[in-house]
Amino acid sequence: MANTPSAKKAARKIERRTAVNKNRRSRLRTFVRKVEDALASGDSAAAAVALKAAEPEIQRAAQKGVLHKNTASRKVSRLAQRVAKLSA
C-alpha cells in the first residue's frame, strides 16, 4: 500500500489514466469489430465505410499511447488488405 503522499497521489493518477485508457481501448475494439463484422458478412461497401471510420480511431489510439504506432499501422494495413481483397 502507498504510504507517502507522493505515492498516494501517483496511485490516484494511475487509477484515472487506467480508466481513460480502458475507455479508449474499448472504443478502438468496437470500431475494429465493425470492420470485422462487415468483412464476415461479405459486404464490401460496408467494410470500406467501417474501415474509413476505424483508421483514424486506430491512429488516435497510437498517438495517445494505447497502442504502439507500428501495431496501429499493422492493424490498419491488414484490415485494408482484407477490405481490398473482398472488393476485388
Side-chain angles (χ1 to χ4, degrees):
M1 185 63 210
N3 291 323
T4 63
S6 61
K8 288 177 183 175
K9 181 178 179 179
R12 290 194 305 268
K13 284 169 62 176
I14 289 167
E15 199 174 320
R16 284 196 300 267
R17 295 310 309 166
T18 300
V20 169
N21 286 337
K22 188 175 182 182
N23 191 3
R24 285 191 178 128
R25 195 175 301 112
S26 173
R27 185 175 163 86
L28 167 73
R29 288 178 179 151
T30 300
F31 276 86
V32 171
R33 193 177 309 113
K34 286 178 184 175
V35 179
E36 297 280 353
D37 290 346
L39 286 167
S41 69
D43 188 355
S44 62
V49 170
L51 177 64
K52 197 171 177 77
E55 185 175 353
E57 202 61 42
I58 294 170
Q59 296 299 348
R60 190 173 300 117
Q63 187 179 9
K64 298 295 183 180
V66 177
L67 288 179
H68 190 273
K69 68 181 183 108
N70 289 359
T71 303
S73 293
R74 185 179 67 241
K75 283 184 182 294
V76 169
S77 176
R78 287 180 180 173
L79 286 173
Q81 193 175 27
R82 288 171 61 194
V83 169
K85 186 177 179 183
L86 184 66
S87 299

